[in-house]
């Protein structure tokens, strides 16, 4: 920059302005004259009062006196002479500021001329004395303060005076700072003040009298000689940062993130300095330090003339370079210089802030102590010629141990010594400013320094040239990076006879790490579509390959710095970045499975390092599935291996890296203790399982040939799980570390194996390490819920394991002591019940197993009542004997919901109403409307309340359909906590089979008698048995005479008369019998008079009473109020005639029976900032990317808003079946399709995208301007373009609606004007329809951004007003009053498509109380297959 200009160095050396006439006289003469002359002047200044004049009147007197004072400034400091000289001169130079009476009149008249001479004379004061003491320091500070005041306040200083002042400051700085620093010397004490005054005065000169190029060149040359002082780099860093802050302010405007610096540093820049001067000064000051990388080479720093002068001792023998303590500070100075450049780079990127995640510096106390005691015991004159017996590994271990021992007290703070202590470790990394300069521009400014610093003391492996594809890069690197004097290679150091390489083994790793981290941040700030020069990319990849080594070339600070600053590296579409994937994998194998990270603890916070590593892992996981069998053309890890037969010398496929990545993920999960990091790992695990399942489902699993398969299977636990070169413990961290690689391959290569492994890992930890941590528990339950939905066939035992683990988790949490119960704990229990419901609905066959059913029902009982009826220690306790004591009402509600899920949803979803509604679509209005009896109205229903929780609406009249009117019929609408259900019941006395053939009940007739059946016998009846006659008589029998013995005539007559009467009676009775028998034979059978007949069928029924009594609801006990309770009776009749009864009933029907979420989808083209521009993107499919439409249509099903009984994105059109209209037929759809209205068809007017399962429902709405769709429908102009993407839309637009049309023939009579207005902005609640309070609103925004930098410009506040769901207007109840959701708490998911076909995710806003919702994690990469799945899952989680 100044090559054509001459330096003033010789001018300064040859200037005799600081010599006096008295120097020609003997020393004692000059001393006596100076003492005699200066003392009266000094005392006069001390004793002078206001108005007293100076002793010197004429110009001649002043000049003569100045010759004496000039000599007096060279005298020893044992007397007051030098002090008087300083007092006089510091008083006189104020003539340029404010003339005083004590200043001689000639000086006041021509102040510039005299001040120039005075400044030259004052140089003598700064010449080091043999024994300076504190007096010289004090006098020097007095002069510096006077000079500082002179430059600040003088308004009449001429250009010549400014130039003399600058040369004076350069001269005194060079005098004191150029020589090697002496411990406790004057240079060490004054360095900071000297440099500070020089830079401040120089900046003032730039404002008032801009220095000419020779002055800048001279300053640059001299400052290069002072760089071994830490104060030089510190002050330079402050000044250049202050200049950069002002430069950015006017270069990039007020919208650019300000570069905040301390007020003290900002005050160094004069306020009156204009923008042009700022720019010129900034660039010159930037290069005033020369090449900062020189600080890493003691040979260059020690090559200055002042160092060379002291290299020769009295005998002429050279001494060792390392005898100077100042060179021991070079590593720390080098680091400070790199930190300063790093701050400048961050400022230009717009991410400037005090950082805790910057490059890890080497501890200061490590730099100040000997590197190895064994080496330092060698005498200095013998060190250069002896062989070093301590190898590198031993030396590094000793160094780390020493440093760690001295760094113990700093362990709680994760920041570097020079980082801000106010920076918290969880503070998010800011995004680079959208208006930041290009990567090439920043590298053009700082690239040469940063690349040189990044390769300081690096020796590239010779084997790297074995690969022809890397030869060019290696050659270029050797030419570009090894500039003369720019760095110190090992060979250069060894060839320097004055430098012992063993003295500086690894000290410069802090500065190198800072440079590497800065370069990583620069390349990670690449804009979408930005091109980077191939030379820069190749150097950067060489840097990564070198910095990520984990074998002999490992440098832990550099490795940690690269990892900490590279999380978004694989998300930036860098060309060729995939060639470094194996190196990152090897580094992650070193870091993540290592539980202790003992070798990194002294540099960085292990949690932050692991988090950055996990972020990188998240971006690497989709690559094997995405690239499949594509081979990397660059030889990867074999270059740094001494084993020529290593398998890494062969090209490997990306698919072969899957096993290593999965093992890293599993190892990280097993060793991670930080909640945030664990949640990120769980999100990644769910993502990889879902992606694997989807890949297998579509039949696109990659096939590998025999050679590749053998290579894939050759991975052992050493190189695919935990590297033996790990920086931490080499013990295996997984229980299957001893299993062969083939077994691991079978486990993890399929989605089923990965799913089973994930279930085992998570369930094991959920009930052990994680059950105390609420945030991890929630994430684990989310993961288990996601795994339940993966469509992969696994063994029932693994499914049962998941269900059992969730049940055990609920038991543990419910059994915790009462003081530990909190709202957060109950929220986790509710989440566990929700997870249980997901598993049961996805796998209903699990309840076919008796033990699983029993376990689930016991958990439900525990949630509802607070205890189990049966336990191993206690007897069975029945329901009636238990006192209900649930953990909380929320837990009880969750358990009841689980019971409802078991009883009603399992095996019954989707219901006959379709997946849009798990409940019946029938209500009173529907029954009245479609009933064939005109007498039915809303007052025909009878209403009852059961158990204070269920409302029964009973219609006792038959509907007039296929039901038999003669039988008792009742139609019941059941409204309970699980929804609305309709049942039509009829009391029938016949089996169902007979009912179809016989409509009325006809009793069976009596069977006809059959008298001719069987044998008839004539039997003579005897009064006594025949055996009586055989009994012989006894005397007693003979005592009673026979009749004939006592009969006389009188008795004979009577006896005959009796005999005749008896004969007549026999004849009469015989005739009567014959007559009656004849008459009986003449009668018909059965006798209509005497036959029993059934009563006629009843025509009037109290069917409600029959229903209630038959089901046991109607009893005397049910009608009584429970004793000692405020609860009403179990059965209560409601009066529907009360005013507002049916309004309240309709109000109840509007409550959803499932959680509902709304997702608003936007498309943001590059450069857009306003909401109207974003909304108009949906008007045509030609202006959006095809992948966006594919993603949109994969979110859910297209449904008609007017016919849809579920959630539609707005409460005014949701959950109702009586305002639908299908009058507009397919012609309307044809119009919409032909006009290419794009995704705006799903804006909520006619259609939305909808997804539902048994437990939740989501509406996907694509907002668009009000006039867009309306105008297009009215114009009806067909515009078919060949480049249109509408060919993706017709298929889904024409698909059948999900809604079950109960009565399609009766829907044509509805007025189409009943349809509601198009967009959410103009949607109004229909007149007379009351909206109930819906509880907390859940809205999620999904934004597809073409350019990642536009995320900062997304107009979220404007679009929030465009995305009303109607829930905001329902805050009309005291139970639902709540303030509007703050903008920063709105969940926003940004999706950015990468050139590779993958998608980058950015999460913003609220992610729950425990600050993370999986499966999406901020910064992760998602495949095209899993994009819609994970997005919908995250939306559900955000709304939970």
């Amino acid at each position: 920059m100044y090559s054509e200009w001459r330096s003033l160095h010789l001018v300064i050396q040859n200037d005799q302005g600081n010599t006096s006439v008295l120097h020609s006289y003997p020393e004692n003469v000059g001393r006596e004259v100076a003492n005699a002359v200066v003392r009266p002047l000094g005392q006069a200044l001390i004793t002078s009062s206001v108005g007293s004049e100076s002793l010197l009147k004429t110009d001649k007197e002043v000049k003569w006196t100045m010759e004496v004072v000039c000599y007096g400034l060279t005298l020893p400091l044992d007397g007051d002479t030098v002090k008087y000289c300083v007092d006089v001169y510091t008083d006189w130079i104020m003539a340029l500021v404010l003339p005083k009476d004590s200043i001689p009149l000639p000086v006041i008249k021509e102040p510039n001329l005299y001040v120039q001479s005075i400044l030259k004379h004052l140089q003598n004061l700064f010449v080091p004395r043999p024994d300076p003491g504190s007096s010289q320091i004090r006098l020097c500070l007095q002069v510096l303060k006077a000079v500082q005041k002179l430059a600040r306040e003088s308004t009449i200083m001429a250009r010549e005076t400014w130039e003399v002042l600058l040369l004076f400051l350069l001269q005194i700085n060079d005098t004191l700072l150029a020589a090697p620093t002496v411990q406790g010397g004057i240079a060490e004490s004054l360095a900071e003040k000297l440099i500070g005054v020089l830079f401040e005065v120089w900046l003032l000169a730039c404002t008032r009298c801009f220095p000419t190029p020779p002055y800048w060149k001279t300053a640059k040359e001299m400052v290069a000689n002072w760089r071994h002082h830490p104060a030089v780099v510190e002050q330079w860093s402050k000044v250049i940062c202050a200049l950069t802050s002002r430069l950015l302010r006017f270069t990039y405007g007020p919208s650019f993130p300000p570069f905040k610096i301390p007020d003290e540093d900002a005050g160094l820049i004069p306020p009156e300095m204009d923008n042009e001067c700022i720019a010129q000064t900034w660039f010159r000051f930037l290069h005033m330090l020369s090449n900062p990388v020189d600080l890493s080479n003691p040979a260059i720093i020690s090559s200055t003339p002042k160092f060379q002068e002291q290299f020769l001792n009295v005998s002429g023998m050279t001494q060792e370079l390392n005898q100077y303590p100042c060179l021991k500070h070079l590593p720390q100075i080098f680091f400070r210089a790199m930190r300063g450049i790093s701050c400048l780079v961050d400022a230009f990127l717009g991410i400037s802030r005090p950082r805790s995640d910057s490059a890890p510096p080497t501890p200061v106390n490590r730099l100040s102590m000997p590197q190895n005691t064994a080496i330092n015991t060698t005498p200095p004159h013998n060190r250069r010629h002896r062989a070093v017996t301590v190898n590198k590994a031993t030396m590094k271990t000793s160094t780390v141990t020493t440093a760690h021992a001295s760094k113990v007290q700093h362990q709680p703070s994760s920041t570097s010594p020079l980082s801000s202590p106010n920076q918290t470790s969880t503070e998010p990394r800011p995004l680079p400013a959208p208006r930041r300069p290009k990567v090439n521009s920043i590298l053009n400014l700082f690239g040469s320094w940063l690349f040189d610093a990044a390769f300081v003391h690096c020796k590239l492996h010779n084997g790297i040239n074995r690969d022809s594809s890397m030869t060019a890069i290696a050659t270029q690197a050797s030419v570009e990076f090894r500039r003369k004097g720019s760095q110190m290679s090992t060979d250069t150091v060894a060839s320097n006879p004055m430098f012992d390489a063993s003295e500086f083994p690894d000290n410069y790793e802090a500065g190198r790490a800072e440079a590497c981290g800065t370069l990583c941040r620069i390349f990670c700030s690449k804009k979408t579509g930005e091109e980077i020069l191939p030379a820069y990319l190749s150097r950067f990849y060489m840097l990564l390959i070198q910095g990520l080594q984990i074998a002999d070339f490992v440098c832990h600070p550099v490795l940690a710095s690269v990892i900490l600053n590279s999380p978004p590296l694989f998300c930036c579409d860098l060309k060729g970045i995939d060639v470094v994937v194996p190196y990152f994998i090897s580094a992650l194998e070193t870091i993540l499975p290592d539980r202790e990270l003992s070798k990194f603890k002294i540099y960085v916070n292990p949690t932050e390092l692991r988090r950055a590593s996990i972020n990188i892992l998240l971006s690497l996981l989709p690559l094997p599935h995405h690239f499949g069998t594509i081979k990397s053309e660059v030889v990867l890890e074999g270059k740094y291996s001494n084993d020529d037969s290593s398998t890494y010398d062969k090209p490997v496929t990306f698919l072969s890296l899957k096993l290593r990545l999965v093992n890293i993920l599993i190892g990280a999960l097993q060793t991670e203790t930080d909640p945030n990091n664990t949640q990120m790992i769980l999100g990644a695990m769910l993502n990889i399982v879902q992606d694997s399942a989807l890949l297998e489902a579509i039949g696109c699993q990659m096939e590998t040939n025999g050679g590749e398969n053998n290579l894939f299977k050759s991975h052992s636990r050493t190189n695919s799980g935990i590297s033996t070169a790990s920086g931490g413990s080499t013990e295996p961290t997984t229980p299957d570390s001893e299993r062969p690689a083939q077994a691991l391959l079978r486990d993890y290569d399929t989605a089923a194996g990965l799913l089973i492994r994930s279930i085992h890992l998570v369930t094991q930890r959920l009930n052990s390490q994680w059950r105390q941590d609420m945030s991890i528990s929630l994430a684990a339950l989310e993961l288990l819920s996601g795994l339940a939905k993966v469509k992969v066939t696994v063994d029932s035992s693994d499914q049962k394991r998941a269900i059992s683990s969730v049940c055990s988790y609920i038991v543990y949490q419910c059994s915790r002591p009462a003081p530990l119960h909190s709202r957060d704990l109950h929220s986790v229990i509710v989440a566990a019940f929700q997870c249980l419901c997901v598993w049961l609905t996805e796998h209903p066959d699990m309840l076919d197993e008796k033990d699983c059913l029993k376990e689930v029902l016991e958990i439900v009982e525990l949630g509802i009542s607070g205890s189990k009826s049966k336990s191993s220690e206690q007897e069975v306790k029945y329901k009636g004997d238990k006192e209900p004591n649930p953990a909380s009402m929320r837990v009880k509600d969750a358990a009841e919901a689980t019971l409802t899920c078991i009883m009603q949803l399992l095996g019954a979803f989707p219901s006959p109403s379709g997946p849009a509604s798990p409940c019946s679509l029938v209500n009173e209005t529907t029954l009245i409307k479609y009933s064939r009896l005109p007498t039915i109205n809303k007052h025909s229903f009878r209403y009852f309340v059961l158990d204070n929780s269920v409302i029964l609406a009973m219609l006792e009249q038959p509907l007039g359909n296929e039901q038999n009117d003669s039988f008792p019929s009742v139609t019941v609408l059941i409204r309970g906590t699980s929804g609305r259900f309709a049942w039509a019941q009829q009391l029938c006395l016949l089996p169902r089979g007979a009912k179809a053939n016989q409509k009325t009940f006809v009793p069976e007739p009596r069977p006809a008698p059959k008298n001719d059946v069987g044998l008839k016998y004539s039997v003579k009846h005897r009064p006594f048995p025949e055996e009586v006659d055989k009994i012989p008589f006894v005397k007693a029998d003979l005592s009673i005479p026979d009749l004939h013995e006592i009969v006389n005539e009188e008795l004979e007559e009577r006896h005959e008369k009796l005999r005749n009467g008896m004969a007549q009676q026999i004849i009469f009775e015989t005739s009567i019998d014959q007559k009656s028998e004849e008459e009986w034979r003449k009668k018909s059978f059965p006798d209509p008079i005497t036959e029993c007949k059934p009563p006629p069928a009843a025509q009037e029924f109290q069917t409600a009473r029959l229903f209630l009594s038959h089901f046991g609801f109607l009893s005397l006990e049910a009608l009584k109020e429970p004793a000692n309770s405020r609860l009403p009776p179990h059965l209560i009749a409601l009066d529907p005639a009360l005013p507002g009864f049916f309004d309240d009933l309709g109000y109840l029907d509007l409550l959803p029976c499932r959680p509902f979420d709304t997702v608003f989808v936007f498309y943001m083209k590059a450069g857009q900032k306003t909401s109207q521009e974003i909304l108009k993107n949906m008007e045509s499919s030609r202006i959006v990317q095809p992948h966006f439409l594919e993603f949109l249509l994969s979110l859910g099903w297209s449904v008609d808003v007017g016919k849809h009984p579920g959630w539609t994105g707005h409460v005014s059109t949701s959950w109702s079946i009586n305002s639908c209209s299908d009058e507009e037929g397919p012609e309307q759809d044809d119009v919409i399709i032909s006009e290419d209205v794009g995704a705006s068809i799903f804006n909520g007017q006619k259609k939305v995208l909808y997804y539902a399962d048994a437990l939740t429902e989501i509406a996907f709405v694509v907002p668009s301007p009000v006039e867009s769709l309306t105008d297009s429908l009215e114009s009806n102009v067909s515009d078919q373009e060949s480049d249109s993407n509408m060919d993706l839309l017709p298929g889904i637009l024409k698909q059948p609606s999900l809604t079950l049309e109960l009565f399609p023939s009766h829907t044509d009579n509805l007025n189409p004007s009943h349809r509601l207005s198009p967009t959410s902005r103009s949607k109004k609640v229909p007149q007379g329809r009351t909206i109930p309070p819906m509880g907390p609103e859940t809205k999620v925004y999904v934004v597809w951004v073409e350019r990642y930098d536009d995320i900062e410009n997304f107009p979220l506040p404007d679009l929030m007003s465009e995305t009303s769901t109607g829930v905001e207007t329902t805050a009309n109840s005291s139970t639902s009053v709540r303030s509007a959701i703050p903008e920063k708490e709105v969940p926003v998911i940004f999706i950015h498509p990468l050139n590779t076909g993958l998608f980058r995710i950015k999460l913003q806003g609220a992610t729950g109380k425990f600050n993370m919702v999986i499966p999406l994690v901020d910064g992760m990469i998602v495949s095209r297959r899993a994009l819609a799945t994970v997005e919908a899952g995250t939306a559900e989680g955000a709304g939970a």
Side-chain angles (χ1 to χ4, degrees), residues 232-451:
V232 175
V233 174
E234 289 284 349
Q235 293 297 327
W236 171 81
S237 180
K238 289 182 179 181
V239 171
I240 196 61
C241 287
L243 286 170
T244 304
S245 179
R246 287 280 299 273
L247 178 73
L248 295 176
R249 199 179 308 167
F250 69 83
T251 304
Y252 294 99
S255 62
F256 196 81
F259 182 23
K260 296 180 180 180
I261 58 175
D263 295 338
E264 179 184 357
D265 296 348
L268 295 174
I269 311 301
E272 63 272 17
M273 185 179 287
D274 58 20
N275 294 342
E276 179 63 26
C277 184
I278 288 284
Q280 296 292 334
T281 306
W282 175 85
F283 187 75
R284 287 165 170 78
F285 252 98
L286 180 64
H287 294 275
M288 185 172 284
L289 198 63
S290 299
N291 189 349
V293 187
D294 294 345
L295 293 168
S296 64
N297 193 343
I300 295 178
I301 300 301
S302 62
S303 63
T304 60
K306 291 296 181 69
F307 270 87
Q308 296 294 338
E309 290 177 7
Q310 298 194 23
F311 279 164
L312 298 177
N313 56 11
V314 179
S315 61
M317 294 180 60
T318 60
Q319 294 187 355
E320 293 237 348
L321 173 69
N322 50 44
Q323 71 176 349
Y324 299 107
C326 62
L327 296 182
K328 300 288 186 181
H329 294 286
L330 282 183
Q332 179 66 13
I333 299 172
F334 173 59
F335 165 71
R336 281 302 305 153
M338 291 299 105
R339 171 60 67 88
I341 296 174
S342 175
C343 291
L344 298 183
V345 170
D346 288 349
F348 277 100
L349 295 178
I351 58 176
S352 59
R353 63 169 188 172
R355 299 193 320 273
S356 67
D357 54 354
S358 60
T362 305
V364 178
N365 46 10
R366 173 186 171 184
L367 295 174
S368 61
M369 61 175 52
Q371 297 300 314
N372 195 306
T373 54
I375 298 177
N376 290 335
T377 55
T378 307
H381 61 278
N382 291 334
R383 271 185 217 160
R384 184 162 49 89
H385 303 288
R386 71 173 180 83
V388 180
T389 58
V390 181
N391 59 26
K392 183 174 183 179
T394 306
M395 187 185 308
K396 184 174 297 185
T397 304
S398 174
T399 302
V400 171
T401 304
T402 307
H404 184 265
S406 60
K407 191 69 177 176
V408 171
Q409 66 271 21
H410 298 289
Q411 282 301 316
S413 173
S414 63
T415 61
S416 60
L418 298 170
S419 297
S420 171
N422 299 325
Q423 175 74 27
T424 59
S425 61
T426 58
E427 184 175 348
R429 182 189 300 269
L431 288 177
R435 297 188 57 194
R436 64 186 179 274
K438 293 183 178 180
V439 173
N440 288 337
S441 300
I442 298 178
L443 292 178
N444 290 340
L445 267 178
F446 307 105
S448 61
W449 294 345
L450 292 174
F451 279 117

Side-chain angles (χ1 to χ4, degrees), residues 1351 1354 1356 1384 1386-1390 1402-1407 1418:
I1351 291 177
F1354 181 67
L1356 181 59
K1384 63 180 180 179
V1386 177
V1388 184
I1389 303 173
F1390 292 98
K1402 169 68 179 175
L1403 300 183
Q1404 178 179 304
T1407 50
D1418 187 21

Side-chain angles (χ1 to χ4, degrees), residues 12 724 758 1245 1267:
I12 296 176
T724 54
S758 302
Q1245 177 194 10
E1267 64 277 3

